[in-house]
Amino acid sequence: MKKLSLIILLIFILFNTIACFDFSPSYQEPDPNAVEKEKIKDTPAQTRAQSKNETLKIANQDITLDFNLYDDPNLEFTTYIPQDMLASSKEGDFLTIYANFNNEKNKKAKITFFSPIKTVSSNVENMTKVARDNVTEDGFETTDQTVNDYTLINDADEEFDIIKKQEGKTDIIGKVSLFNHNERLYYLIVQYPLALEKEFLPRAQKIISDIMFYDEQFEESK
């Protein structure tokens, strides 16, 4: 009888002990930063193939290069960048893509995109002044004459050439293009040492032609 009472007592203690523990799953607020990173990318521009290869005419030779998809959420577009170039974006909606031939980053051969944040209104006149001021501060002369016989953006609002003369060194030349997409203004600067034109320019033109904005519903054949 004593054993039975002891067993009943032990069972009672065991059930009370288990009841003190909460085995229900706990809820934890999601980390906003983690949620932001895990947002589904579902625009046609963002769901393009992650990589591809293209054959370009470089220095009068057909060269096949590997390209990787680059997504810039601030500028709201994607494009493909060759593996021998480097992309660097900053707050303020700047994107710069540098030549990295033979694994040597060349800050003189680069493509720069800029657009004011969407809450800031602008116009072509103001953007032109900003672009001209920026390249002038960087040591370039601007000219409306055609120094470079090509167009960066076919339907640009304005394009002008730039040149930085360097005594004893090859000049740095390029072009600036201002364009509008969906009522948002952009400017684009392409610059490179003249000696690198045949290597750099075909890559730059391909990057630009491969741009697809988030609001585009299909990718045009390019």
Side-chain angles (χ1 to χ4, degrees), residues 17-26:
T17 302
I18 291 173
C20 292
F21 292 94
D22 182 8
F23 290 98
S24 60
S26 59

Side-chain angles (χ1 to χ4, degrees), residues 105-189:
K105 182 178 178 180
N106 189 340
K107 293 185 177 181
K108 296 179 179 178
K110 62 184 180 180
I111 309 164
T112 302
F113 294 90
F114 170 73
S115 178
I117 58 176
K118 296 178 76 173
T119 54
V120 175
S121 60
S122 187
N123 56 51
V124 174
E125 184 180 354
N126 289 340
M127 283 285 283
T128 302
K129 184 179 184 308
V130 169
R132 286 183 181 271
D133 287 348
N134 284 350
V135 294
T136 300
E137 286 175 12
D138 202 24
F140 285 93
E141 298 174 27
T142 65
T143 173
D144 294 320
Q145 296 178 344
T146 302
V147 175
N148 308 305
D149 189 20
Y150 59 83
T151 298
L152 294 177
I153 304 290
N154 289 330
D155 56 349
D157 292 289
E158 183 170 349
E159 286 198 348
F160 56 90
D161 292 339
I162 56 175
I163 182 168
K164 182 190 287 187
K165 295 178 181 178
Q166 301 190 114
E167 190 174 345
K169 297 180 182 178
T170 182
D171 292 342
I172 300 174
I173 61 172
K175 193 178 285 283
V176 179
S177 182
L178 290 95
F179 62 97
N180 183 310
H181 179 82
N182 197 20
E183 300 184 359
R184 183 177 181 184
L185 285 169
Y186 295 78
Y187 77 61
L188 162 65
I189 303 172

Side-chain angles (χ1 to χ4, degrees), residues 45-69:
Q46 293 170 296
T47 55
R48 305 159 89 184
Q50 290 298 304
S51 61
K52 67 173 183 174
N53 56 66
E54 292 274 354
T55 301
L56 304 181
K57 183 73 75 175
I58 297 175
N60 298 319
Q61 293 184 10
D62 290 333
I63 306 292
T64 301
L65 298 172
D66 293 326
F67 289 74
N68 293 319
L69 186 67

Side-chain angles (χ1 to χ4, degrees), residues 51-97:
S51 61
K52 67 173 183 174
N53 56 66
E54 292 274 354
T55 301
L56 304 181
K57 183 73 75 175
I58 297 175
N60 298 319
Q61 293 184 10
D62 290 333
I63 306 292
T64 301
L65 298 172
D66 293 326
F67 289 74
N68 293 319
L69 186 67
Y70 183 83
D71 184 355
D72 194 303
N74 291 324
L75 296 173
E76 298 183 318
F77 67 67
T78 64
T79 189
Y80 287 96
I81 297 178
Q83 287 190 327
D84 56 3
M85 296 184 75
L86 297 172
S88 174
S89 60
K90 316 183 181 176
E91 236 178 278
D93 298 343
F94 275 98
L95 168 63
T96 305
I97 304 169

